[in-house]
Amino acid sequence: MQAETDPRPGTQGAFGEATAQAAILVVEDEPGMRNFLERILAPKCRAIRLAANTAEASALIAETDFDLVILDNLMEGQRGVDWLSEQRRLGFFPPAILMTAYADMETAIQALQAGASDFLLKPFRTNQLLNGITRCLEGERLRRENLVLRQELRNSLDQDRLRSELVGGSPAIEAVRQVIARVAATPSSVLITGASGTGKEVAARMIHALSDRADHAFVPVNCAAIPQDMLETELFGHIRGAFPGAQQNREGLFMSARGGTLFLDEIAELSVGLQAKLLRVIEDRRIRPLGSERETPVDVRLIFAANADLDKAVAEGRLRADLLYRINVLHIAMPTLVERGPDLFDLVHLFMDILSRQLGMRPVPITAEVRANLATYDWPGNVRELRNAVERALILGRFPPLAAQLGRRDSQTLAEIERRAIMGTLAALDGDREAAASRLGISRKTIDRRLADWNG
């Protein structure tokens, strides 16, 4: 056995969280070294598998998703560096540490060319091994975090908005929170639908935060924001030479989200061909990077969202019916702002507080007239539009008349007009039902009945 333990206490290096959650594959033909590595690593990582040769290693990576590979270079049958180079060509992305007893320049160059992340010279001390593993996994974690950050910047993520959009005590939003609490603990796929600005991504993030995957990445993807000819490689990755300009292997967003949650927004915007590939991933939990000859297992929870009528999209041939059946395990319909009733004013005060501090401006008074104006508007852009209205009011120093600026009333039903009239009058009179009934020329009982109907 060509490894040594370090006799000094405290020199084995503290494993970080990324290492403690890692699945590691050891490829080593010497039984003594395999047993040594298993004894050292098993208590410090989530899972460890052992392979006595490259053939066994190939079989293991075809059925298990590993975070790191540690392999010997000189083995009977095939050198570790040759096997690693072969696997990189087939679309194997995780970092690898190459062990060797010969520290010559040629071997080092070959290791780098094969895609090794680190180089370990035998004999080595335990702390050298552990520190090398930590470096590789922390580097991989940072790379994935950077990829996720770029993806979120592409989506123009606003964390304050995300934290606030499910605020409120209306029956409609409370029902959504209850469903989220129940589904979060399951591994099932979720479909979230609703108009633009209703908080579909907020709901998806809450599901992730309440699940056992909360310590892993949440990767949001807006399928409508990425050109269709780039979406496949963005999602599944590619190997070097898969297409002109593919100079190196690239891990896709599915792999970046492994262990965590992948949120696919605007799912109906996927091309029909890409929908077929996504269907295979959902069924098999395996992906095939562009240009690869082999599928790779991936552990990821999928949440889908759409603001389109998906049944209509199926009828028009834009969405595969079998894909809709697969993604619609559990459906959450996000209510519009009008359907949330009194949540409107909770959100107005919250946005006023957040945005006045962000902009360094004095809050604009929310008078009875302003409340009536806000309550009688139909908010086609929902919570996102409300936030913009508050920000605009801060900049202007007042709330401009919304009905004159935006909104069309010509297609409204009598029930909608009645609702806005009652809610607006109540808002202007600070909730005084008797005064509102007198102003509207209706009975107090009529207002009580209407409010009871609207609240569930």
Coordinates of all heavy atoms in Angstrom, one line a residue, residues 357-420:
R357 N -36.7 52.4 1.0 CA -35.3 52.3 1.6 C -34.3 52.0 0.4 O -33.2 52.6 0.5 CB -35.3 51.1 2.6 CG -36.0 51.5 3.9 CD -35.8 50.4 4.9 NE -36.8 49.3 4.7 CZ -36.5 48.1 4.3 NH1 -35.2 47.8 3.9 NH2 -37.4 47.2 4.1
Q358 N -34.7 51.3 -0.5 CA -33.8 51.0 -1.7 C -33.5 52.3 -2.4 O -32.3 52.5 -2.8 CB -34.4 50.0 -2.6 CG -34.3 48.5 -2.1 CD -34.9 47.5 -3.1 OE1 -35.4 47.9 -4.1 NE2 -34.8 46.3 -2.7
L359 N -34.5 53.1 -2.7 CA -34.3 54.3 -3.5 C -33.9 55.5 -2.7 O -33.5 56.5 -3.2 CB -35.6 54.6 -4.2 CG -36.1 53.6 -5.2 CD1 -37.5 54.0 -5.8 CD2 -35.1 53.3 -6.3
G360 N -33.9 55.4 -1.3 CA -33.5 56.5 -0.5 C -34.6 57.6 -0.6 O -34.2 58.8 -0.5
M361 N -35.8 57.3 -0.8 CA -36.9 58.4 -0.9 C -37.9 58.2 0.2 O -38.1 57.1 0.8 CB -37.6 58.2 -2.3 CG -36.7 58.5 -3.4 SD -37.5 58.3 -5.0 CE -36.3 58.9 -6.2
R362 N -38.6 59.3 0.5 CA -39.6 59.4 1.5 C -40.8 58.6 1.0 O -41.3 58.8 -0.1 CB -39.9 60.8 1.9 CG -40.9 61.0 3.0 CD -41.1 62.4 3.4 NE -39.9 63.0 3.8 CZ -39.7 64.3 4.1 NH1 -40.8 65.1 4.0 NH2 -38.6 64.7 4.5
P363 N -41.4 57.8 1.9 CA -42.6 57.1 1.5 C -43.8 58.0 1.0 O -43.9 59.1 1.6 CB -43.0 56.3 2.7 CG -41.8 56.1 3.5 CD -41.0 57.4 3.2
V364 N -44.5 57.6 0.1 CA -45.7 58.4 -0.4 C -46.9 58.0 0.4 O -47.2 56.8 0.6 CB -45.9 58.1 -1.9 CG1 -47.2 58.8 -2.4 CG2 -44.7 58.5 -2.7
P365 N -47.6 59.0 0.9 CA -48.8 58.6 1.7 C -49.8 57.8 0.9 O -50.1 58.1 -0.2 CB -49.4 60.0 2.1 CG -48.2 61.0 1.9 CD -47.4 60.4 0.8
I366 N -50.4 56.8 1.6 CA -51.4 56.0 0.9 C -52.7 56.4 1.5 O -53.3 55.9 2.5 CB -51.1 54.5 1.2 CG1 -49.7 54.1 0.7 CG2 -52.2 53.6 0.5 CD1 -49.3 52.7 1.0
T367 N -53.3 57.4 0.9 CA -54.6 58.0 1.4 C -55.8 57.2 1.0 O -55.7 56.2 0.2 CB -54.7 59.5 0.8 OG1 -54.8 59.3 -0.7 CG2 -53.5 60.3 1.1
A368 N -57.0 57.6 1.5 CA -58.2 56.9 1.1 C -58.4 57.0 -0.4 O -58.9 56.0 -1.0 CB -59.4 57.5 1.9
E369 N -58.1 58.1 -1.0 CA -58.3 58.3 -2.4 C -57.4 57.3 -3.2 O -57.8 56.7 -4.2 CB -58.0 59.7 -2.8 CG -58.2 60.0 -4.3 CD -57.9 61.4 -4.7 OE1 -57.5 62.2 -3.8 OE2 -58.0 61.7 -5.9
V370 N -56.1 57.2 -2.7 CA -55.2 56.3 -3.3 C -55.7 54.8 -3.2 O -55.6 54.0 -4.2 CB -53.8 56.4 -2.7 CG1 -52.8 55.3 -3.1 CG2 -53.2 57.8 -3.1
R371 N -56.1 54.5 -2.0 CA -56.6 53.1 -1.8 C -57.8 52.8 -2.7 O -57.9 51.7 -3.3 CB -57.1 52.9 -0.3 CG -55.9 52.9 0.6 CD -56.4 53.0 2.1 NE -57.2 51.9 2.4 CZ -56.7 50.7 3.0 NH1 -55.4 50.6 3.1 NH2 -57.5 49.8 3.3
A372 N -58.7 53.8 -2.9 CA -59.8 53.5 -3.8 C -59.3 53.4 -5.2 O -59.8 52.5 -6.0 CB -60.8 54.7 -3.7
N373 N -58.4 54.2 -5.6 CA -57.8 54.1 -7.0 C -57.2 52.7 -7.2 O -57.4 52.1 -8.3 CB -56.8 55.2 -7.2 CG -56.2 55.3 -8.6 OD1 -56.9 54.9 -9.5 ND2 -55.0 55.7 -8.7
L374 N -56.4 52.3 -6.2 CA -55.7 50.9 -6.4 C -56.7 49.8 -6.4 O -56.6 48.8 -7.1 CB -54.7 50.7 -5.2 CG -53.6 51.7 -5.1 CD1 -52.7 51.4 -3.9 CD2 -52.7 51.6 -6.4
A375 N -57.8 49.9 -5.6 CA -58.8 48.8 -5.4 C -59.6 48.7 -6.7 O -60.1 47.6 -6.9 CB -59.6 49.1 -4.2
T376 N -59.9 49.8 -7.4 CA -60.8 49.7 -8.5 C -60.0 49.4 -9.8 O -60.7 49.3 -10.9 CB -61.5 51.0 -8.7 OG1 -60.6 52.1 -8.8 CG2 -62.5 51.2 -7.6
Y377 N -58.7 49.3 -9.8 CA -57.9 49.0 -11.0 C -57.9 47.4 -11.2 O -57.9 46.7 -10.2 CB -56.5 49.6 -10.9 CG -55.7 49.3 -12.1 CD1 -56.0 49.8 -13.3 CD2 -54.4 48.7 -11.9 CE1 -55.2 49.6 -14.4 CE2 -53.6 48.5 -13.0 CZ -54.0 48.9 -14.3 OH -53.2 48.7 -15.3
D378 N -57.8 47.0 -12.4 CA -57.9 45.5 -12.6 C -56.5 44.8 -12.6 O -56.5 43.6 -12.7 CB -58.6 45.2 -14.0 CG -58.1 46.0 -15.1 OD1 -57.1 46.7 -15.0 OD2 -58.7 45.9 -16.2
W379 N -55.4 45.5 -12.6 CA -54.1 44.9 -12.4 C -53.8 43.7 -13.4 O -53.6 42.6 -13.0 CB -53.8 44.4 -11.0 CG -53.9 45.6 -10.0 CD1 -54.9 45.8 -9.2 CD2 -53.0 46.7 -9.9 NE1 -54.7 47.0 -8.5 CE2 -53.5 47.5 -8.9 CE3 -51.8 47.0 -10.5 CZ2 -52.9 48.7 -8.5 CZ3 -51.1 48.1 -10.1 CH2 -51.7 49.0 -9.1
P380 N -53.7 44.0 -14.7 CA -53.4 42.9 -15.6 C -52.0 42.3 -15.5 O -51.8 41.2 -15.8 CB -53.6 43.6 -17.0 CG -53.4 45.0 -16.8 CD -54.0 45.3 -15.4
G381 N -51.1 43.1 -14.9 CA -49.7 42.6 -14.7 C -49.5 42.1 -13.3 O -48.4 41.7 -12.9
N382 N -50.6 42.0 -12.5 CA -50.6 41.4 -11.2 C -49.6 42.0 -10.2 O -49.4 43.2 -10.2 CB -50.4 39.9 -11.3 CG -51.6 39.3 -12.0 OD1 -52.7 39.2 -11.5 ND2 -51.4 38.8 -13.3
V383 N -48.9 41.2 -9.4 CA -48.1 41.7 -8.3 C -46.9 42.5 -8.9 O -46.5 43.5 -8.4 CB -47.6 40.5 -7.4 CG1 -46.6 41.1 -6.4 CG2 -48.7 39.8 -6.8
R384 N -46.4 42.0 -10.0 CA -45.2 42.7 -10.7 C -45.6 44.1 -11.1 O -44.9 45.1 -10.9 CB -44.7 41.9 -11.9 CG -43.4 42.5 -12.5 CD -42.9 41.6 -13.6 NE -42.7 40.2 -13.2 CZ -43.2 39.2 -13.7 NH1 -44.0 39.3 -14.7 NH2 -42.9 38.0 -13.3
E385 N -46.8 44.3 -11.6 CA -47.3 45.6 -12.0 C -47.5 46.5 -10.8 O -47.3 47.7 -10.8 CB -48.6 45.5 -12.8 CG -49.1 46.9 -13.4 CD -50.4 46.8 -14.1 OE1 -50.9 45.7 -14.2 OE2 -50.8 47.8 -14.6
L386 N -48.1 45.9 -9.7 CA -48.3 46.6 -8.5 C -47.0 47.2 -7.9 O -46.9 48.4 -7.5 CB -49.0 45.8 -7.4 CG -49.2 46.4 -6.0 CD1 -50.1 47.6 -6.1 CD2 -49.7 45.3 -5.1
R387 N -46.0 46.4 -7.9 CA -44.6 46.8 -7.4 C -44.1 48.0 -8.3 O -43.6 49.0 -7.8 CB -43.7 45.7 -7.5 CG -42.3 46.0 -6.9 CD -41.3 44.8 -7.0 NE -40.1 45.0 -6.3 CZ -39.1 45.7 -6.7 NH1 -39.2 46.4 -7.9 NH2 -38.0 45.8 -6.0
N388 N -44.3 47.9 -9.6 CA -43.9 48.9 -10.5 C -44.6 50.2 -10.2 O -44.1 51.3 -10.3 CB -44.0 48.5 -12.0 CG -43.1 47.4 -12.4 OD1 -42.1 47.2 -11.7 ND2 -43.4 46.7 -13.5
A389 N -45.9 50.1 -9.9 CA -46.8 51.3 -9.6 C -46.3 52.0 -8.3 O -46.2 53.2 -8.3 CB -48.2 50.8 -9.5
V390 N -45.9 51.2 -7.3 CA -45.4 51.8 -6.1 C -44.0 52.5 -6.4 O -43.8 53.6 -5.9 CB -45.2 50.7 -5.0 CG1 -44.6 51.3 -3.8 CG2 -46.6 50.1 -4.6
E391 N -43.2 51.8 -7.1 CA -41.9 52.4 -7.5 C -42.1 53.7 -8.3 O -41.4 54.8 -8.0 CB -41.0 51.5 -8.2 CG -39.6 52.0 -8.5 CD -38.7 51.0 -9.2 OE1 -39.2 49.8 -9.4 OE2 -37.6 51.3 -9.5
R392 N -43.0 53.7 -9.2 CA -43.3 54.9 -10.0 C -43.8 56.0 -9.1 O -43.5 57.2 -9.2 CB -44.3 54.6 -11.1 CG -44.7 55.8 -12.0 CD -45.4 55.3 -13.2 NE -46.6 54.5 -12.9 CZ -46.8 53.2 -13.1 NH1 -45.8 52.5 -13.6 NH2 -47.9 52.6 -12.8
A393 N -44.7 55.7 -8.1 CA -45.2 56.7 -7.2 C -44.1 57.3 -6.3 O -44.1 58.5 -6.1 CB -46.3 56.0 -6.3
L394 N -43.2 56.5 -5.9 CA -42.0 57.1 -5.1 C -41.2 58.0 -6.0 O -40.8 59.1 -5.5 CB -41.1 55.9 -4.7 CG -41.6 55.1 -3.4 CD1 -40.9 53.8 -3.3 CD2 -41.4 56.0 -2.2
I395 N -41.0 57.7 -7.2 CA -40.2 58.6 -8.1 C -41.0 59.9 -8.4 O -40.4 61.0 -8.3 CB -39.9 57.9 -9.4 CG1 -38.9 56.7 -9.1 CG2 -39.2 58.8 -10.4 CD1 -38.7 55.8 -10.3
L396 N -42.3 59.8 -8.6 CA -43.1 61.0 -8.9 C -43.5 61.8 -7.7 O -43.9 62.9 -7.8 CB -44.3 60.6 -9.7 CG -44.1 59.9 -11.1 CD1 -45.5 59.5 -11.7 CD2 -43.4 60.9 -12.0
G397 N -43.5 61.1 -6.5 CA -43.9 61.7 -5.3 C -45.4 61.6 -5.1 O -45.9 62.3 -4.1
R398 N -46.1 60.9 -5.9 CA -47.6 60.7 -5.8 C -48.0 59.5 -6.6 O -47.3 59.0 -7.5 CB -48.3 62.0 -6.3 CG -48.0 62.2 -7.8 CD -48.6 63.5 -8.3 NE -48.3 63.7 -9.7 CZ -48.9 63.1 -10.7 NH1 -50.0 62.3 -10.5 NH2 -48.6 63.4 -12.0
F399 N -49.2 59.0 -6.3 CA -49.8 58.0 -7.1 C -50.6 58.6 -8.2 O -51.6 59.2 -8.0 CB -50.7 57.1 -6.2 CG -50.0 56.1 -5.4 CD1 -49.6 56.4 -4.1 CD2 -49.7 54.8 -5.9 CE1 -48.9 55.4 -3.4 CE2 -49.0 53.9 -5.2 CZ -48.6 54.2 -3.9
P400 N -50.2 58.4 -9.5 CA -51.0 58.9 -10.6 C -52.3 58.0 -10.7 O -52.3 56.9 -10.3 CB -50.1 58.7 -11.8 CG -49.2 57.6 -11.5 CD -49.0 57.7 -10.0
P401 N -53.3 58.6 -11.4 CA -54.6 57.8 -11.6 C -54.3 56.6 -12.5 O -54.0 56.7 -13.7 CB -55.5 58.8 -12.3 CG -54.9 60.1 -12.0 CD -53.5 59.9 -11.9
L402 N -54.5 55.4 -11.9 CA -54.1 54.2 -12.7 C -55.1 53.9 -13.8 O -54.8 53.5 -14.9 CB -54.1 53.0 -11.8 CG -52.9 52.9 -10.8 CD1 -53.1 51.9 -9.7 CD2 -51.7 52.5 -11.6
A403 N -56.4 54.2 -13.6 CA -57.4 53.8 -14.5 C -57.3 54.7 -15.8 O -57.5 54.2 -16.9 CB -58.8 54.1 -14.0
A404 N -56.8 55.9 -15.7 CA -56.6 56.7 -16.8 C -55.3 56.3 -17.6 O -55.2 56.6 -18.8 CB -56.4 58.2 -16.4
Q405 N -54.4 55.7 -16.9 CA -53.1 55.3 -17.5 C -53.2 54.0 -18.2 O -52.6 53.8 -19.3 CB -52.0 55.3 -16.4 CG -50.9 56.2 -16.6 CD -49.9 56.0 -15.5 OE1 -49.7 54.9 -14.9 NE2 -49.2 57.1 -15.2
L406 N -53.8 53.0 -17.5 CA -53.7 51.7 -17.9 C -55.1 51.0 -17.8 O -56.0 51.6 -17.1 CB -52.7 50.9 -17.1 CG -51.3 51.3 -17.2 CD1 -50.5 50.7 -16.1 CD2 -50.7 51.0 -18.5
G407 N -55.3 49.8 -18.3 CA -56.5 49.0 -18.1 C -57.6 49.3 -19.1 O -57.9 50.5 -19.4
R408 N -58.2 48.3 -19.5 CA -59.4 48.5 -20.4 C -60.6 47.9 -19.7 O -60.6 46.8 -19.2 CB -59.1 47.7 -21.7 CG -58.0 48.3 -22.5 CD -57.9 47.7 -23.9 NE -59.2 47.8 -24.6 CZ -59.3 47.3 -25.8 NH1 -58.4 46.7 -26.4 NH2 -60.5 47.5 -26.4
R409 N -61.7 48.6 -19.7 CA -62.9 48.2 -19.0 C -64.0 47.7 -19.9 O -65.0 47.3 -19.4 CB -63.4 49.4 -18.1 CG -62.4 50.0 -17.2 CD -61.9 48.9 -16.2 NE -60.9 49.4 -15.4 CZ -61.0 50.1 -14.3 NH1 -62.2 50.5 -13.9 NH2 -60.0 50.4 -13.5
D410 N -63.8 47.8 -21.2 CA -64.9 47.5 -22.1 C -65.3 46.1 -22.1 O -66.4 45.8 -22.6 CB -64.6 48.0 -23.5 CG -63.2 47.4 -24.0 OD1 -62.5 46.9 -23.2 OD2 -63.0 47.5 -25.3
S411 N -64.4 45.2 -21.7 CA -64.8 43.8 -21.7 C -65.1 43.2 -20.4 O -65.2 42.0 -20.2 CB -63.6 43.0 -22.3 OG -62.5 43.1 -21.5
Q412 N -65.3 44.0 -19.4 CA -65.6 43.6 -18.0 C -67.0 43.1 -17.9 O -67.9 43.7 -18.4 CB -65.2 44.6 -17.0 CG -63.7 45.0 -17.0 CD -63.5 46.2 -16.1 OE1 -64.4 46.8 -15.5 NE2 -62.2 46.7 -16.1
T413 N -67.2 42.1 -17.0 CA -68.5 41.6 -16.7 C -69.2 42.5 -15.6 O -68.5 43.3 -14.9 CB -68.5 40.2 -16.2 OG1 -67.8 40.2 -14.9 CG2 -67.7 39.3 -17.2
L414 N -70.5 42.4 -15.5 CA -71.2 43.1 -14.5 C -70.7 42.8 -13.1 O -70.5 43.6 -12.2 CB -72.7 42.9 -14.6 CG -73.6 43.6 -13.6 CD1 -73.4 45.1 -13.8 CD2 -75.0 43.2 -13.8
A415 N -70.4 41.5 -12.8 CA -69.9 41.0 -11.5 C -68.5 41.7 -11.2 O -68.2 42.1 -10.1 CB -69.7 39.5 -11.5
E416 N -67.6 41.8 -12.2 CA -66.3 42.4 -12.0 C -66.5 43.9 -11.7 O -65.8 44.5 -10.8 CB -65.5 42.3 -13.3 CG -65.0 40.8 -13.5 CD -64.4 40.6 -14.9 OE1 -64.6 41.5 -15.7 OE2 -63.7 39.6 -15.0
I417 N -67.4 44.6 -12.4 CA -67.6 46.0 -12.1 C -68.2 46.2 -10.7 O -67.7 47.1 -10.0 CB -68.6 46.6 -13.2 CG1 -68.0 46.6 -14.6 CG2 -69.0 48.0 -12.8 CD1 -68.9 46.9 -15.7
E418 N -69.1 45.3 -10.3 CA -69.7 45.4 -9.0 C -68.6 45.2 -7.9 O -68.5 45.9 -6.9 CB -70.8 44.3 -8.8 CG -71.4 44.3 -7.4 CD -72.4 43.2 -7.2 OE1 -72.0 42.1 -7.7 OE2 -73.4 43.4 -6.6
R419 N -67.7 44.2 -8.1 CA -66.7 43.9 -7.2 C -65.7 45.1 -7.0 O -65.4 45.5 -5.9 CB -65.9 42.7 -7.6 CG -64.7 42.3 -6.7 CD -63.9 41.2 -7.3 NE -62.8 40.9 -6.4 CZ -62.7 39.8 -5.7 NH1 -63.6 38.8 -5.8 NH2 -61.6 39.6 -5.0
R420 N -65.3 45.7 -8.1 CA -64.4 46.8 -8.0 C -65.0 48.0 -7.3 O -64.4 48.7 -6.6 CB -63.9 47.2 -9.4 CG -62.7 46.3 -9.9 CD -62.1 46.9 -11.1 NE -63.0 46.8 -12.2 CZ -63.1 45.8 -13.0 NH1 -62.4 44.7 -12.8 NH2 -64.0 45.7 -14.0

